[in-house]
């Protein structure tokens, strides 16, 4: 809860033991946890449990995944939850757009080594500041700002079409991160709109989808950058 109050996106990868109950996941979600991951280390229980050193760990992992499946059904069936979670998933790809092309962008510009690091850090640093700001606002005000921020966050990415110098690109990508503070609102809304007894399941599925879309964004935009230019990949992310 403290990390969430400071505008941080909190994540957890627990060991799959009986302590990880649906009720515990619900409580973690309400406390501000935004991402939860579970490891499955083998296709069969004996190998998985031997690796983890906890008998029954494989079955517990599958139970958590079944809860996630139930959460997916809730997301699909409830239009309000579905809209919020889909926007959250789409935003995940937007969040990593600049990460996918930071190194090739700096290399293409002939910038010094520190420039690639600064480009990589620009969006996450901006996102931390944006989340901190949005988290301090009343929920009603957060909701009013949701779509304006989401739309505005695309503008710095589209501006990359001009292939600005690295210093300006750093400023644009940081601004993109700040404007993505609306993701704090999406996470809060997904919990508030979900019945209490289903929050843990919906939270688990929402987090899994967020991570999955982030990976798709990294791989997909990296491939686009290879075939076109890094700037074109960033612009594509902003346009989509």
């Amino acid at each position: 809860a403290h990390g969430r109050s400071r505008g941080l996106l909190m994540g957890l990868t627990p060991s799959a033991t009986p302590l990880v109950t649906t009720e515990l996941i619900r409580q973690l979600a309400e406390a501000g946890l935004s991402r939860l991951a579970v490891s499955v280390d083998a296709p069969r229980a004996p190998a998985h449990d031997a690796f983890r050193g906890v008998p029954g760990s494989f079955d517990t992992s599958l139970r958590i995944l079944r809860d996630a499946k139930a959460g997916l059904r809730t997301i699909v069936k409830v239009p309000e939850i579905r809209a919020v979670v889909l926007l959250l998933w789409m935003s995940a790809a937007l969040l990593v757009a600049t990460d996918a092309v930071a190194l090739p962008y700096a290399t293409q510009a002939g910038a010094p080594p520190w420039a690639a690091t600064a480009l990589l850090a620009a969006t996450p640093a901006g996102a931390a500041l944006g989340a901190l700001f949005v988290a301090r606002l009343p929920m009603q005000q957060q909701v009013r700002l949701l779509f304006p921020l989401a739309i505005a966050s695309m503008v710095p990415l589209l501006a990359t079409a001009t292939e600005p110098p690295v210093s300006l690109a750093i400023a644009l990508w940081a601004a993109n991160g700040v404007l993505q503070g609306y993701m704090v609102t999406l996470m809060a809304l997904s919990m508030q709109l979900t019945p209490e007894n289903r929050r843990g399941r919906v939270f688990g599925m929402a987090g899994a989808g967020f991570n999955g879309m982030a990976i798709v964004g990294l791989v997909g935009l990296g491939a686009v950058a290879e075939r076109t230019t890094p700037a074109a990949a960033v612009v594509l992310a902003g346009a989509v």
Side-chain angles (χ1 to χ4, degrees):
H2 175 71
R4 174 68 179 275
S5 70
R6 304 301 296 175
L8 301 176
L9 300 180
M10 309 304 295
L12 179 68
T13 305
S15 298
T17 72
L19 296 175
V20 185
T21 63
T22 300
E23 173 62 18
L24 176 62
I25 295 174
R26 181 189 66 78
Q27 292 175 2
L28 290 170
E30 291 182 346
L33 192 69
S34 58
R35 300 178 191 176
L36 181 73
V38 177
S39 297
V40 177
D41 302 295
R44 296 287 184 272
H48 174 97
D49 290 356
F51 179 79
R52 286 288 163 180
V54 179
S57 175
F58 183 79
D59 291 337
T60 302
S61 296
L62 294 186
R63 189 259 301 163
I64 294 173
L65 292 176
R66 284 193 295 270
D67 282 348
K69 183 179 179 180
L72 179 61
R73 285 197 296 267
T74 300
I75 291 171
V76 171
K77 289 180 179 179
V78 182
E80 295 83 1
I81 300 175
R82 182 171 66 240
V84 169
V85 172
L86 286 177
L87 182 55
L88 180 64
W89 288 351
M90 291 171 62
S91 299
L94 192 65
L95 182 65
V96 300
T98 56
D99 292 352
V101 303
L103 181 56
Y105 192 97
T107 301
Q108 184 184 65
W114 63 263
T117 303
L119 285 169
L120 274 170
T123 297
L129 292 174
L132 181 60
F133 170 74
V134 171
R136 293 174 179 271
L137 298 176
M139 179 53 67
Q140 188 175 10
Q141 190 173 355
Q142 288 188 37
V143 172
R144 284 200 302 268
L145 289 172
L146 177 57
F147 286 106
L149 286 175
I151 294 171
S153 68
M154 302 175 189
V155 174
L157 300 184
L158 296 176
T160 308
T162 62
E163 297 191 353
V166 169
S167 57
L168 181 54
I170 291 171
L172 286 171
W173 295 2
N176 165 252
V178 171
L179 293 167
Q180 288 181 38
Y182 69 87
M183 280 195 259
V184 170
T185 307
L186 291 176
M187 293 171 188
L189 281 175
S190 66
M191 291 298 101
Q192 291 185 11
L193 292 170
T194 304
E196 186 173 334
N197 64 334
R198 299 182 186 177
R199 285 179 182 171
R201 295 170 178 176
V202 168
F203 160 74
M205 195 64 233
F210 186 93
N211 291 333
M213 285 301 296
I215 294 171
V216 169
L218 281 171
V219 175
L221 292 172
V224 171
E226 282 188 6
R227 288 165 175 75
T228 56
T229 65
V234 174
V235 171
L236 176 63
V240 172

